[in-house]
Amino acid sequence: MTPDVSLRAVGVRLSYDAIPSPVRYWVEETCGAPVVDAVTQPGGMSPGCAARLRFADGTRAFVKAVGADLNPQTPDLFRLEIEVLSRLPAVPWRPRLQASYDDRGWVALLLEDIAGRHPDWADDRDVRRVLGAVQRQSKELTPVPSGIDVPSVADQALRWTDTLQTATPAELAALPDWLDLSSPKISGLISPLAEELRGDTLCHWDVRNDNILMRADNSVVLVDWGVARRGPSWVDQAVFALEWADTPRFDKMMAAHRTPDLDDDVLTGLLLLFGAYLTVMGTRPAPPGLPTLPAFRGREGARFLDGAHRRLQSNDSSGSGPAIGP
């Protein structure tokens, strides 16, 4: 596949030939033929290997592999993805897990190789197709399927809040001038989020363009389940809409597909909290093996906060409260 320059998340990948020989041996033993071609895929932030493999017998597979020496947290994300995919039913909109490997140092997944492209957000048909797949999957995965134990979105929000409360003055200085986290208006939007983000849907929680493939028939596949969470049924729809967080399209998308348990203040609070968290984290040194992560966090944080500011100003102009910021 030709690299897609529109991908927002582009990390530094390890080539297939560079992963340990025991992992490569497992791949060939599992698939029953030697690898004759490996093409590294560009999207995502994992420091490990992500490659499309072609075998001597003509079959194909997709391999993801990472070691704790590259980044100590990423193997656990892969283990979570294995746990989730191994327990979910086979459906066209998720990749099929073929096998997994874990020697406590390196973790690897063999997945079906999805021949496809990333969606084109300039094509409204692609947007509608992805939105339909996200909504279909959320309905399918409510309640959370039996036997799957994942962290909750609510707990994630509490960790974000804790990060902001313990951030240094230098880190907080990266936030825009209009954002005063201690103001009653802002804290009143952020404080209820942990309760509002409770739910019983298995959420992908990372629905962005580099985690979406579209087959030749334009059907949608949602890949990369390493950060799956338990949360409300609307969460993945909102995460998908974050592609346009800094534009009015975000507001229109969410307004057109509202659910009874979601209101405007929750969405604005989510943009505020997530955006502020990412902005603060973007000031910190890169974790091992993830040199592009701080810049990515900074860019996304700025987009989300731009969206929150737009929504606050829109509410204020309607006479609901005092003006916020410039």
Side-chain angles (χ1 to χ4, degrees):
M1 179 189 294
T2 302
D4 185 346
V5 295
S6 71
L7 295 176
R8 294 206 314 277
V10 179
V12 178
R13 294 291 195 189
L14 198 67
S15 70
Y16 177 73
D17 290 340
I19 66 177
S21 56
V23 182
R24 288 183 278 116
Y25 176 80
W26 166 78
V27 168
E28 296 191 346
E29 283 293 296
T30 301
C31 295
V35 172
V36 295
D37 189 38
V39 179
T40 298
Q41 297 305 287
M45 300 301 297
S46 167
C49 169
R52 295 175 182 270
L53 306 180
R54 181 167 59 87
F55 297 88
D57 61 1
T59 58
R60 293 178 177 273
F62 185 84
V63 66
K64 296 172 58 173
V66 72
D69 55 333
L70 298 177
N71 180 276
Q73 282 79 45
T74 307
D76 284 337
L77 301 183
F78 280 31
R79 292 183 180 106
L80 180 62
E81 183 169 17
I82 292 167
E83 168 74 10
V84 170
L85 290 181
S86 65
R87 293 181 178 274
L88 290 180
V91 293
W93 52 87
R94 279 192 299 275
R96 180 171 54 86
L97 177 65
Q98 298 177 345
S100 61
Y101 172 95
D102 191 344
D103 64 11
R104 307 315 300 172
W106 275 76
V107 182
L109 298 80
L110 273 173
L111 300 153
E112 66 171 308
D113 184 30
I114 308 294
R117 61 180 176 85
H118 295 292
D120 178 5
W121 297 146
D123 187 340
D124 285 343
R125 295 169 298 180
D126 276 8
V127 176
R128 289 193 296 270
R129 289 162 181 148
V130 174
L131 179 59
V134 170
Q135 292 172 328
R136 181 167 57 247
Q137 181 168 261
S138 294
K139 183 177 181 180
E140 173 212 0
L141 300 182
T142 305
V144 176
S146 177
I148 294 180
D149 183 20
V150 296
S152 72
V153 178
D155 287 344
Q156 187 94 56
L158 290 172
R159 286 193 292 274
W160 292 345
T161 302
D162 183 65
T163 295
L164 295 178
Q165 290 174 342
T166 57
T168 67
E171 292 169 342
L172 293 173
L175 297 174
D177 291 340
W178 60 264
L179 180 56
D180 178 2
L181 293 174
S182 64
S183 74
K185 188 174 185 73
I186 299 299
S187 61
L189 290 167
I190 290 177
S191 297
L193 278 179
E195 187 61 34
E196 295 288 351
L197 290 171
R198 299 191 186 280
D200 196 26
T201 296
L202 180 62
C203 307
H204 182 283
W205 190 233
D206 202 15
V207 185
R208 61 173 191 244
N209 60 349
D210 54 306
N211 288 337
I212 306 166
L213 290 173
M214 302 190 72
R215 296 188 177 94
D217 64 359
N218 290 318
S219 60
V220 176
V221 184
L222 304 175
V223 304
D224 285 349
W225 282 79
V227 295
R229 296 289 186 269
R230 177 189 295 267
S233 61
W234 53 264
V235 158
D236 275 348
Q237 181 178 307
V239 172
F240 170 52
L242 289 175
E243 293 279 353
W244 300 274
D246 50 338
T247 75
R249 188 170 189 175
F250 173 86
D251 310 329
K252 293 175 182 176
M253 288 182 67
M254 296 307 298
H257 302 279
R258 291 287 292 273
T259 59
D261 57 343
L262 175 62
D263 63 39
D264 285 339
D265 282 352
V266 172
L267 285 175
T268 304
L270 181 61
L271 288 173
L272 284 167
L273 179 58
F274 200 2
Y277 166 80
L278 288 173
T279 300
V280 165
M281 293 301 292
T283 69
R284 297 183 179 182
L290 298 169
T292 65
L293 184 58
F296 172 75
R297 283 171 162 168
R299 290 193 303 271
E300 294 297 90
R303 287 198 318 110
F304 299 171
L305 289 178
D306 282 349
H309 195 204
R310 180 194 66 253
R311 291 170 63 86
L312 287 168
Q313 289 182 312
S314 175
N315 288 343
D316 294 336
S317 67
S318 67
S320 60
I324 297 292

